[in-house]
Every structure is written in C-alpha cells, then in structure tokens.
Amino acid sequence: MVEVVNLSKKGRVFGVSFRLEEGALALVGPNGAGKTTVLNLLVGRLKPDRGEVRIFGHPPRSLEAAKERAYVPQQIAFPLHLRVREVLAAAQALAQVGDDAREEATHRMGLTPYLNAFVGNLSGGYRQRLALAAGLMGEKKLWLLDEPASALDPGGFARLVEWTREHKAKGGLLIVSAHRPDEVEAFADEALLLSAGRVRWRGPVERLYTYRLPDGRRLEEVLPGVRVVREPVDVLKEVLYEEESA
C-alpha cells in the first residue's frame, strides 16, 4: 500500500493526500501541476516540508521501500557509447535479479533484435523502451512512472500497456503521471487531478470522459451501465503498432 498524508513541498505541492491499495492511479494535470514532484517525493529524491509518505509501511528513503519500488523518470540519459545489452546488464546487476528477469524485460519492450546496437544509434522511442526495460526489470510491487509514453513510439506504447496490465493482474501497484487522455485510459483505473500543486478531484477514469451520439444524447442514456473502450481499427493498428526501425 502507498499512503500519502498532507504532503507539501514549498512552492510545488500543497497538502496532497491519497492512498493506493490496489490497481493503478494516474496523476493528471498540466505542466507544473506537481505530478513529477509527487513522484520524486514517493521515490525519496525530494524531502517533504510537511506531511508523510509510506511505501508498504516504510519511509520512501528506506532500504525496505527501495526493495519494493521501481521508478522510471521522464528522461534517462544513457551513455551513447554503450550497447543495449550493456545497459541491460548494468540494470540487472543493480536490481540484483537473474538472467530470466533481464530476458523478460528485453522481450517485453521488443529490444531483442537490438541488443548489439549502440544507444547513440537508437531512435528516441527505442531509448525510452530501453529505459523502461531497465527500470522495470524484476517487476517490483510498486511501479512509479513519470510520463512513460511521452517519447514512446506506438508499438512501444502498446507493449508497455500490456506489461502494466499484467503487472496489475498479479497484484502490483502503479502510479503514473500523464496528461494525454489515451495514456490515462490505458494505464489507470483511477485518476487524481492536480492543479497548481493541489488535489482537485479523485475518481474512476471513466468519469473523466463523456461520449455523445450525433443527436446530443449521452451514450450512457442509451446504453446504461455499458463502459466504452476506445480502440483503433485494424488498419490503424497495422500502421501505428508495427515495429519500427530502431
């Protein structure tokens, strides 16, 4: 469980509180809303001026919390002269996991054909795939992701969505910052809306959107109780989700 009580950081966030016991929570808001600050406080990179954070009952800067938590920031600058396999090997050593975990993360993000490629030769989308494979290797209980899809290609996005869904199905927790509707819908069950560092609203993701028919009626009026999932048609999937060149 993740518990945040009256969390404040001067000039950034003010009195943020929430609890996550299962599933996934999206931190939603414009740039400067406080999403990254909240994640940095959960990771322990920042120390709060007031309030408390508990990661499975432990302070965020404790070894116990670190063992249960995986964090992928919005941008990671890997040395350009390293090969993909070298970055993954270093991540494996840092995470203290076996070869199976490294191979699974590599496969999950579609990096197997590019193990010998230099980081400097990868596209931006594939560098983000590498960051996610390295950061999520070993599948710790809590994943903290800061706008993970911002640099991803569509194929990488689809792979990450599948991985996060399986993570949740196994009982894992996810807190992800996002501002695009498709990211929020794909990753999260609930949303926490932040504005100028303060919580404005929390609730189910489906309550963030409404769908209307051409005559103006809301879809829920015609089909009460039915939840609509937006999905691309086959030809769009073929164009967008095919594996691009690294």
Side-chain angles (χ1 to χ4, degrees):
M1 179 180 71
V2 177
E3 189 171 17
V4 174
V5 180
N6 198 29
L7 195 63
S8 295
K9 185 67 178 177
K10 186 177 180 180
R12 302 189 189 186
V13 294
F14 311 93
V16 172
S17 297
F18 64 86
R19 176 184 293 188
L20 181 65
E21 298 185 19
E22 62 180 7
L25 177 68
L27 306 178
V28 183
N31 292 336
K35 305 185 299 294
T36 296
T37 297
V38 170
L39 289 175
N40 282 332
L41 290 163
L42 292 174
V43 174
R45 299 178 70 179
L46 293 177
K47 186 176 180 180
D49 297 322
R50 186 174 67 249
E52 187 176 27
V53 176
R54 284 288 182 269
I55 307 294
F56 300 109
H58 304 290
R61 294 190 172 190
S62 67
L63 180 61
E64 292 83 359
K67 289 179 178 179
E68 303 288 358
R69 175 188 63 213
Y71 169 61
V72 181
Q74 189 173 358
Q75 293 182 334
I76 299 179
F78 295 118
L80 301 182
H81 66 279
L82 293 182
R83 297 182 186 271
V84 169
R85 57 177 170 78
E86 293 174 315
V87 173
L88 294 171
Q92 177 185 359
L94 186 63
Q96 298 182 343
V97 296
D99 291 345
D100 288 348
R102 185 196 70 241
E103 292 170 0
E104 180 181 5
T106 302
H107 172 72
R108 289 278 190 182
M109 295 312 301
L111 293 171
T112 303
Y114 307 104
L115 288 174
N116 288 320
F118 290 104
V119 172
N121 291 335
L122 297 179
S123 67
Y126 270 78
R127 291 186 194 185
Q128 182 68 358
R129 291 191 188 206
L130 179 58
L132 290 161
L136 301 180
M137 192 181 299
E139 299 199 20
K140 295 183 179 180
K141 290 183 181 179
L142 171 64
W143 289 2
L144 303 173
L145 307 180
D146 193 358
E147 299 202 18
S150 61
L152 273 181
D153 58 285
F157 179 75
R159 286 177 175 274
L160 180 60
V161 169
E162 181 180 1
W163 200 3
T164 56
R165 286 175 178 170
E166 292 190 21
H167 174 69
K168 291 187 294 179
K170 295 176 183 177
L173 303 181
L174 169 65
I175 299 178
V176 55
S177 70
H179 58 266
R180 285 169 29 195
D182 56 333
E183 295 174 21
V184 177
E185 287 181 308
F187 291 127
D189 309 298
E190 288 190 287
L192 187 79
L193 301 191
L194 293 170
S195 176
R198 291 180 168 84
V199 175
R200 293 287 302 275
W201 181 85
R202 178 178 179 173
V205 167
E206 57 263 29
R207 289 180 57 190
L208 289 174
Y209 310 99
T210 185
Y211 297 88
R212 294 184 181 274
L213 299 176
D215 61 9
R217 289 180 298 166
R218 291 184 178 184
L219 185 61
E220 55 265 31
E221 296 174 4
V222 180
L223 299 172
V226 175
R227 180 180 178 184
V228 176
V229 177
R230 184 171 53 195
E231 184 174 291
V233 298
D234 289 342
V235 65
L236 184 59
K237 289 180 182 178
E238 292 172 4
V239 172
L240 291 183
Y241 296 164
E242 64 182 0
E243 297 293 350
E244 66 170 24
S245 171

